[in-house]
Amino acid sequence: MTTPARIRRSLLLALGVVLLVLLGTPASHASAEPPAPGTHLGSLRVQGTTGDQEQEFDNSIGGVLRGAAGPLAGVTVTVTGNGFEGETTSGANGAWRIGVPEQGTYEVGIDEDTLPEGRVLAEGQENPREVSFANTSSATTLFLFGDGITTQQTPFLETLAERALAGFSFGLLLALSAVGLSLIFGTTGLTNFAHGEMVTFGAVVAFGLAATGLPIAVAIVLAVVAGGLLGYVQDAGLWKPLRRRGTGLVPMMIVSIGLALALRYIIQLFFGGATQQLPGSQSEIIDVGSVSISRNNLTSLAVSLVIILVVAFLLLRTRVGKATRAVADNPALAAASGIDVDRVIRIVWVVGGMLAALGGILWAYYRPGVSYNMGQQILLLIFAGVTLGGLGTVFGALIGSIIVGLFVEISTIWLEADLKYVGALLILILVLLFRPQGILGRSERIG
């Protein structure tokens, strides 16, 4: 069989694997839960008509109205902005939610005349107030109630410690995907722009498997395995044939951009454009001294740290790890020493796919939510961590990702939530102006 024929056959095999997994993923409405009492989907007022046209939306704003004596039911809540007006009443449990046509900034207010007798807003509460979305399909706001209650500012050091803990958790989450990307770059020299879709793939497969009734722990394990399979198929069907033909790194990088677009919209075709939640996405808040963190974020921190330590051990202490480092340093010399370079690269692609899939699952719990473009949203931060730490260095990717994660979360103390990613990329630019090789330099490309 000729080389072009083998390439076509391998690409068809890769596409078939992706489609097989996605066909098993239920449509985006499969996990939709019935609205809670007092939940309205929102109304879009159409000018020039005599009534309101009711329409369901993927994005929503909500909250819970609760005072010292319990939930506040029957309170009218309004949402206005971006040409939209919505109104609802809180349910028996105080919960309310209004669907909105698009993400943005809205004005949320409550009708104080509808408050139960004797209930008043706490002193200092804004009514109405502005609420903005921050990379999720839902936004929340909290109103405090009570005569004589005043809002208090959290001490700065407590806020700083809480944001630093969240940033460390986020940085380790980024490092999972960044380490895989760094391994691939170190052994092949390829800047893989499709790595973001490998992140998305893991979360989408986990969602699909969980929707079939599998326990979420089993679904996560199978999704990570599927991520490794996707990495294997990519290398066998696309990158290895291109390497054998002597394709340059720049054309291969352009191919990775095209692959990213293809995978992204194939996922959207089968998964849909809505943001869905994995089982257990809403977790309790744990107080660690004066610092609060959700159970999901704490679990993500522990899992990421353990996996990264395992990868570091494998790279430093095992034959495969040493062979990987040798291939990264000098592929020709490694081949002359008897190392199977193609086999090492294939293992790197499998490990990179598995790490990306796990990173996508943890990212879905962190956001929270699964969407077809979630990998695209996080890709620049992954590149920032890899470049900041030093291209091709695993430990550089780890250090760079932690710095990016810390800066992203801590910056929210001073910056708007929508600007926190801009700040991370700005610090990346400033560092590269003074140290283009990254923090760890290029003295060691892997490990």
Side-chain angles (χ1 to χ4, degrees), residues 7-297:
I7 294 175
R8 287 195 296 270
R9 183 178 177 182
S10 299
L11 287 176
L12 288 175
L13 176 61
L15 182 60
V17 171
V18 174
L19 291 177
L20 180 62
V21 174
L22 292 177
L23 282 172
T25 304
S28 61
H29 63 269
S31 69
E33 299 179 356
T39 300
H40 287 193
L41 295 173
S43 60
L44 179 63
R45 188 176 301 279
V46 181
Q47 299 294 333
T49 63
T50 58
D52 292 342
Q53 176 181 343
E54 298 293 334
Q55 181 177 347
E56 295 186 8
F57 302 118
D58 293 331
N59 305 298
S60 63
I61 301 175
V64 177
L65 305 181
R66 178 179 289 273
L72 278 62
V75 179
T76 300
V77 183
T78 59
V79 172
T80 58
N82 301 314
F84 168 84
E85 295 180 14
E87 181 179 299
T88 189
T89 56
S90 58
N93 60 353
W96 63 271
R97 186 161 296 277
I98 297 178
V100 295
E102 61 183 12
Q103 296 188 13
T105 300
Y106 292 84
E107 192 172 77
V108 179
I110 63 172
D111 185 352
E112 297 187 48
D113 293 335
T114 61
L115 290 173
E117 186 176 353
R119 306 292 182 90
V120 295
L121 279 169
E123 183 180 346
Q125 291 286 288
E126 288 185 69
N127 183 38
R129 64 180 57 170
E130 287 189 349
V131 176
S132 300
F133 287 81
N135 292 322
T136 64
S137 60
S138 62
T140 59
T141 186
L142 176 66
F143 290 92
L144 300 179
F145 298 89
D147 190 11
I149 296 178
T150 58
T151 56
Q152 297 181 350
Q153 292 287 340
T154 303
F156 175 76
L157 290 180
E158 289 186 16
T159 301
L160 179 62
E162 190 169 299
R163 290 294 85 206
L165 182 59
F168 186 63
S169 175
F170 184 42
L172 288 175
L173 184 158
L174 283 175
L176 280 178
S177 301
V179 164
L181 182 64
S182 186
L183 281 169
I184 292 170
F185 178 86
T187 53
T188 66
L190 172 66
T191 305
N192 182 25
F193 280 87
H195 202 76
E197 276 53 53
M198 297 171 72
V199 171
T200 304
F201 183 79
V204 169
V205 172
F207 170 80
L209 294 174
T212 64
L214 284 176
I216 185 59
V218 176
I220 289 175
V221 171
L222 293 178
V224 171
V225 173
L229 179 61
L230 178 62
Y232 177 90
V233 171
Q234 273 194 62
D235 185 58
L238 182 60
W239 305 117
K240 182 178 178 180
L242 289 177
R243 288 196 304 271
R244 285 188 170 181
R245 296 181 65 179
T247 306
L249 291 177
V250 172
M252 290 177 70
M253 181 184 68
I254 295 173
V255 170
S256 77
I257 296 174
L259 179 62
L261 292 172
L263 289 175
R264 184 182 313 155
Y265 292 110
I266 288 174
I267 292 173
Q268 184 189 25
L269 177 64
F270 291 96
F271 179 76
T275 299
Q276 302 299 321
Q277 305 300 324
L278 289 171
S281 58
Q282 301 299 325
S283 63
E284 62 179 311
I285 302 298
I286 299 175
D287 293 325
V288 183
S290 60
V291 178
S292 298
I293 185 172
S294 72
R295 183 178 294 276
N296 282 343
N297 288 351

Side-chain angles (χ1 to χ4, degrees), residues 418-441:
D418 291 340
L419 296 177
K420 61 182 182 180
Y421 297 148
V422 176
L425 297 177
L426 177 62
I427 198 69
L428 167 67
I429 294 172
L430 293 176
V431 169
L432 293 183
L433 284 175
F434 298 98
R435 190 174 176 84
Q437 71 271 34
I439 295 174
L440 296 188

Side-chain angles (χ1 to χ4, degrees), residues 318-364:
T318 66
R319 292 184 62 183
V320 173
K322 293 176 181 178
T324 301
R325 296 161 61 193
V327 171
D329 284 334
N330 192 322
L333 182 59
S337 302
I339 296 175
D340 188 341
V341 174
D342 282 337
R343 178 174 175 270
V344 169
I345 292 175
R346 187 70 47 80
I347 292 173
V348 165
W349 272 98
V350 171
V351 172
M354 295 176 72
L355 291 175
L358 180 58
I361 295 167
L362 297 180
W363 171 236

